[in-house]
Amino acid sequence: MIQTLTLPRPDDWHLHLRDGAMLAGIAPETARHFARAIIMPNLVPPVVTGAQAQDYRDRIRAVTGQGFTPLMTLYLTETTDPADVVAAHRAGIITAVKLYPAGATTNSASGVRDFDRVRGVLDAMAEAGIPLCTHGEVTDPDVDIFDREAVFIDRVLDPLRRATPQLRVVMEHITTADAVAYVQSAPEGLGATITTHHLVINRNHILVGGIKPHYYCLPVAKRETHRQALVSAATSGDARFFLGTDSAPHSDDAKESACGCAGCFTATNTMSILAQIFDTADALDRLEGFVARHGPGFYQLPVNSESLTLEKTADPVAYPAKIDTGAGPVTVFDPGFALYWRVKDMPAS
Ligand code: DOR
Ligand code: ZN
């Protein structure tokens, strides 16, 4: 039986770090285990220009120090300047651009309504080899919230990829068997991130026995068959699937509210949860691909040279229930099962 597992240091290909006191409070939770992360641009106001991304990167680095590399993204709007995007990428400031359909999720009001209006940016990105990260949900009020991802594939993603076949696209935080099948059907240029929490919860976790706001996120968790499809994809060894935690902190008062915010905060215990899931699936040998190799492969970046060691424990791993931040307490995601894999302490970098 495997008792320790040493991997290249993992990366998180979809992360919310926020700003100010929240950033200061939660960024160390990611930097403790992860070498790099794709940083979401949905601040208020959003990160829309190369100059703003550079400033935000500096604020992140001031908190995390040198051992962690934030990979910045720009928030795509209908007025995004293709030349600014290409220049920011050439200068090494941004790694990708994020597409939020307008109104899809937290701070997405500036997102895209008319996809024809971003065609010039998408063409320039395809030409320059800049990946597009997509929040894959339509926002039409007539589409049921549980169908919004599947409808996005048909109405938005597939037409967009056909119109710009050279564009490299990541379908972020997939939640359905439909998305798994769509990604598997694509010969190249399409990848998908899978979150830790979508490997753990289905919609019953949110709604049965009382409403559980800390399990509410977007895209919302679907029925159990979809969760199982995600676990199969993540543990399959298929390089098109990689970890993007979508760890998204909100203070407890914003979550535990009559109109609670979407987001699960998993940065603190993600590696333990993933090891537990892969162990249960008898796929520990594939964890390395999912957390440390497939993402760099898609983004055409080197695999990290430092390592991280997980060790199996006799007693359940202890982790804090909440992280206290200057912006209020943030509840750490509770997977609902005991964790028997801990990250061995790493030397400070
Ligand atoms: O649950 C989510 N929270 N999904 C998102 O797409 C955004 C995120 C956030 O920023 O809070
Ligand atoms: Zn997100």
Side-chain angles (χ1 to χ4, degrees), residues 14-16 40 42 98 100 105 135 172-173 218 246-248:
H14 182 127
L15 178 67
H16 298 267
M40 288 298 120
N42 63 333
K98 177 70 189 257
Y100 288 101
T105 188
H135 182 107
E172 302 283 357
H173 43 53
L218 289 170
D246 199 12
S247 182

Side-chain angles (χ1 to χ4, degrees), residues 106 213 216-218 250-263:
T106 312
Y216 172 61
C217 64
L218 289 170
H250 294 276
S251 62
D252 281 352
D253 62 345
K255 292 286 295 174
E256 298 166 9
S257 146
C259 185
C261 292

Side-chain angles (χ1 to χ4, degrees), residues 156-185:
V156 180
L157 184 58
D158 197 56
L160 184 151
R161 292 186 55 248
R162 283 177 199 278
T164 321
Q166 300 308 318
L167 183 65
R168 300 172 57 69
V169 178
V170 185
M171 227 191 144
E172 302 283 357
H173 43 53
I174 58 171
T175 60
T176 57
D178 313 62
V180 169
Y182 183 69
V183 172
Q184 285 168 338
S185 75

Side-chain angles (χ1 to χ4, degrees), residues 6-11 288 291-293 303-308:
T6 297
L7 322 164
R9 209 162 155 217
D11 302 305
E288 173 168 333
V291 302
R293 293 194 180 276
V303 171
N304 296 308
S305 52
E306 300 151 323
S307 60
L308 173 139

Side-chain angles (χ1 to χ4, degrees), residues 39 79 115 117 178 192 213 238 255 329 334 339:
I39 309 300
T79 56
F115 286 85
R117 301 190 65 176
D178 313 62
D238 185 330
K255 292 286 295 174
D334 174 5
L339 304 175

